Coordinates of all heavy atoms in Angstrom, one line a residue:
Chain B
E404 N -11.9 -13.2 -13.2 CA -12.6 -13.0 -14.5 C -12.1 -11.7 -15.2 O -12.2 -11.6 -16.4 CB -14.1 -12.9 -14.2 CG -14.7 -14.2 -13.9 CD -16.3 -14.2 -13.8 OE1 -16.9 -13.2 -14.1 OE2 -16.8 -15.2 -13.3
V405 N -11.6 -10.8 -14.5 CA -10.9 -9.6 -15.1 C -9.8 -10.2 -15.9 O -9.6 -9.8 -17.1 CB -10.4 -8.6 -14.0 CG1 -9.4 -7.7 -14.6 CG2 -11.6 -7.8 -13.4
E406 N -9.0 -11.0 -15.3 CA -7.8 -11.6 -16.0 C -8.2 -12.4 -17.3 O -7.6 -12.3 -18.3 CB -7.0 -12.5 -15.1 CG -6.4 -11.7 -13.9 CD -6.0 -12.5 -12.7 OE1 -6.1 -13.8 -12.8 OE2 -5.5 -12.0 -11.7
Q407 N -9.3 -13.1 -17.1 CA -9.8 -13.9 -18.3 C -10.3 -13.0 -19.4 O -10.1 -13.3 -20.6 CB -10.9 -14.9 -17.8 CG -10.4 -16.0 -16.9 CD -9.3 -16.8 -17.5 OE1 -9.3 -17.2 -18.7 NE2 -8.2 -17.0 -16.7
S408 N -11.0 -12.0 -19.0 CA -11.6 -11.0 -20.0 C -10.4 -10.3 -20.7 O -10.5 -10.1 -21.9 CB -12.5 -10.0 -19.3 OG -13.7 -10.6 -19.0
L409 N -9.4 -10.0 -20.0 CA -8.2 -9.4 -20.7 C -7.7 -10.3 -21.8 O -7.4 -9.9 -22.9 CB -7.1 -9.0 -19.7 CG -7.4 -7.9 -18.6 CD1 -6.3 -7.9 -17.6 CD2 -7.6 -6.6 -19.3
S410 N -7.6 -11.6 -21.4 CA -7.0 -12.5 -22.3 C -8.0 -12.8 -23.5 O -7.6 -12.9 -24.7 CB -6.7 -13.9 -21.6 OG -6.9 -15.0 -22.4
L411 N -9.3 -12.8 -23.2 CA -10.3 -13.0 -24.3 C -10.3 -11.8 -25.3 O -10.3 -12.0 -26.5 CB -11.7 -13.1 -23.7 CG -12.0 -14.5 -23.1 CD1 -13.3 -14.5 -22.2 CD2 -12.2 -15.5 -24.2
I412 N -10.2 -10.6 -24.7 CA -10.1 -9.5 -25.6 C -8.9 -9.5 -26.5 O -9.0 -9.2 -27.7 CB -10.2 -8.1 -24.8 CG1 -11.6 -8.1 -24.1 CG2 -10.1 -6.9 -25.7 CD1 -11.7 -6.9 -23.1
D413 N -7.8 -9.9 -25.9 CA -6.6 -10.0 -26.7 C -6.8 -11.0 -27.9 O -6.5 -10.7 -29.1 CB -5.5 -10.6 -25.9 CG -4.6 -9.6 -25.2 OD1 -4.7 -8.4 -25.7 OD2 -3.8 -9.9 -24.3
Q414 N -7.4 -12.2 -27.6 CA -7.6 -13.2 -28.6 C -8.5 -12.6 -29.7 O -8.4 -12.9 -30.9 CB -8.2 -14.4 -28.0 CG -7.3 -15.1 -27.0 CD -8.0 -16.3 -26.3 OE1 -8.5 -17.2 -27.0 NE2 -8.0 -16.4 -25.0
M415 N -9.6 -11.9 -29.2 CA -10.5 -11.4 -30.2 C -9.9 -10.3 -31.1 O -10.2 -10.4 -32.3 CB -11.7 -10.8 -29.4 CG -12.6 -11.8 -28.8 SD -13.7 -11.0 -27.6 CE -14.5 -12.4 -26.8
L416 N -9.1 -9.4 -30.5 CA -8.5 -8.4 -31.4 C -7.6 -9.0 -32.4 O -7.5 -8.6 -33.5 CB -7.8 -7.4 -30.5 CG -8.6 -6.5 -29.6 CD1 -7.8 -5.5 -28.8 CD2 -9.6 -5.6 -30.5
D417 N -6.9 -10.1 -31.9 CA -6.0 -10.8 -32.8 C -6.7 -11.5 -34.0 O -6.2 -11.5 -35.1 CB -5.3 -12.0 -32.0 CG -3.9 -11.6 -31.7 OD1 -3.5 -10.5 -31.9 OD2 -3.2 -12.5 -31.2
R418 N -7.8 -12.1 -33.7 CA -8.4 -12.9 -34.7 C -9.7 -12.4 -35.3 O -10.4 -13.1 -36.0 CB -8.8 -14.3 -34.0 CG -7.5 -15.1 -33.6 CD -7.9 -16.2 -32.6 NE -8.9 -17.1 -33.2 CZ -9.4 -18.1 -32.5 NH1 -9.1 -18.3 -31.2 NH2 -10.3 -18.9 -33.0
L419 N -10.0 -11.1 -35.1 CA -11.2 -10.5 -35.6 C -11.3 -10.6 -37.1 O -10.5 -10.1 -37.8 CB -11.1 -9.0 -35.2 CG -12.4 -8.2 -35.3 CD1 -13.5 -8.7 -34.3 CD2 -12.1 -6.7 -34.9
P420 N -12.3 -11.4 -37.5 CA -12.5 -11.6 -39.0 C -12.9 -10.3 -39.7 O -13.5 -9.4 -39.1 CB -13.5 -12.7 -39.1 CG -14.1 -12.8 -37.8 CD -13.4 -12.0 -36.8
K421 N -12.6 -10.2 -41.0 CA -13.1 -9.1 -41.8 C -14.5 -9.5 -42.4 O -14.8 -10.6 -42.4 CB -12.1 -8.8 -42.9 CG -10.8 -8.2 -42.3 CD -10.0 -7.6 -43.5 CE -8.8 -6.8 -43.1 NZ -8.3 -6.9 -41.7
G422 N -15.2 -8.5 -42.9 CA -16.4 -8.8 -43.5 C -17.6 -7.9 -43.1 O -17.3 -6.9 -42.4
P423 N -18.8 -8.2 -43.6 CA -19.9 -7.3 -43.3 C -20.3 -7.3 -41.8 O -19.8 -8.2 -41.1 CB -21.0 -7.9 -44.2 CG -20.6 -9.3 -44.5 CD -19.1 -9.3 -44.4
L424 N -21.1 -6.4 -41.5 CA -21.5 -6.2 -40.0 C -22.9 -6.6 -39.7 O -23.2 -6.9 -38.5 CB -21.3 -4.7 -39.7 CG -20.0 -4.1 -39.7 CD1 -20.1 -2.6 -39.5 CD2 -19.0 -4.8 -38.8
R425 N -23.7 -6.7 -40.7 CA -25.1 -6.9 -40.4 C -25.9 -7.6 -41.5 O -25.7 -7.3 -42.6 CB -25.8 -5.6 -40.1 CG -27.1 -5.7 -39.5 CD -27.6 -4.3 -39.1 NE -28.9 -4.4 -38.4 CZ -29.7 -3.4 -38.0 NH1 -29.2 -2.2 -38.1 NH2 -30.9 -3.6 -37.5
T426 N -26.7 -8.6 -41.1 CA -27.6 -9.2 -42.0 C -29.0 -8.6 -41.9 O -29.5 -8.5 -40.7 CB -27.8 -10.7 -41.7 OG1 -26.4 -11.3 -41.6 CG2 -28.6 -11.4 -42.8
P427 N -29.6 -8.0 -42.9 CA -30.9 -7.4 -42.8 C -31.9 -8.4 -42.2 O -31.9 -9.5 -42.7 CB -31.2 -6.9 -44.2 CG -30.2 -7.4 -45.1 CD -29.1 -8.0 -44.3
A428 N -32.8 -7.9 -41.3 CA -33.7 -8.8 -40.7 C -34.8 -9.3 -41.6 O -35.3 -10.4 -41.4 CB -34.3 -8.1 -39.4
G429 N -35.2 -8.5 -42.6 CA -36.3 -8.9 -43.4 C -37.6 -8.9 -42.6 O -37.6 -8.5 -41.5
R430 N -38.6 -9.4 -43.2 CA -39.9 -9.3 -42.6 C -40.6 -10.7 -42.8 O -40.8 -11.1 -43.9 CB -40.8 -8.2 -43.2 CG -41.9 -7.8 -42.3 CD -42.7 -6.7 -43.0 NE -43.9 -6.4 -42.3 CZ -43.9 -5.5 -41.3 NH1 -42.8 -4.9 -41.0 NH2 -45.1 -5.3 -40.6
Q431 N -40.8 -11.4 -41.7 CA -41.5 -12.7 -41.7 C -42.9 -12.5 -41.2 O -43.2 -12.1 -40.2 CB -40.8 -13.6 -40.7 CG -39.4 -14.0 -41.2 CD -39.4 -15.1 -42.2 OE1 -40.5 -15.6 -42.6 NE2 -38.2 -15.4 -42.8
A432 N -43.8 -12.9 -42.1 CA -45.2 -12.7 -41.8 C -45.7 -13.8 -40.7 O -46.5 -13.5 -39.9 CB -46.1 -12.8 -43.0
E433 N -45.0 -15.0 -40.8 CA -45.5 -16.1 -39.9 C -45.0 -15.8 -38.5 O -44.2 -15.0 -38.2 CB -45.0 -17.4 -40.5 CG -43.5 -17.5 -40.6 CD -43.0 -18.9 -40.9 OE1 -43.5 -19.8 -40.4 OE2 -42.2 -19.0 -41.8
V434 N -45.6 -16.6 -37.6 CA -45.3 -16.5 -36.2 C -44.0 -17.3 -36.0 O -43.8 -18.4 -36.4 CB -46.4 -17.1 -35.4 CG1 -46.0 -17.1 -33.9 CG2 -47.7 -16.4 -35.6
R435 N -43.1 -16.6 -35.3 CA -41.7 -17.2 -35.0 C -41.4 -17.0 -33.6 O -41.6 -16.0 -33.0 CB -40.7 -16.5 -35.9 CG -40.8 -16.7 -37.4 CD -40.5 -18.2 -37.7 NE -40.3 -18.3 -39.2 CZ -39.1 -18.4 -39.8 NH1 -38.0 -18.2 -39.1 NH2 -39.0 -18.6 -41.1

Side-chain angles (χ1 to χ4, degrees):
Chain B
E404 289 187 10
V405 164
E406 294 160 2
Q407 293 303 315
S408 287
L409 291 173
S410 151
L411 280 166
I412 296 170
D413 267 349
Q414 296 174 52
M415 289 166 186
L416 290 178
D417 253 11
R418 295 166 54 187
L419 195 61
K421 289 194 173 14
L424 296 175
R425 191 173 181 181
T426 308
R430 200 181 173 86
Q431 290 281 354
E433 59 174 314
V434 178
R435 294 290 193 98

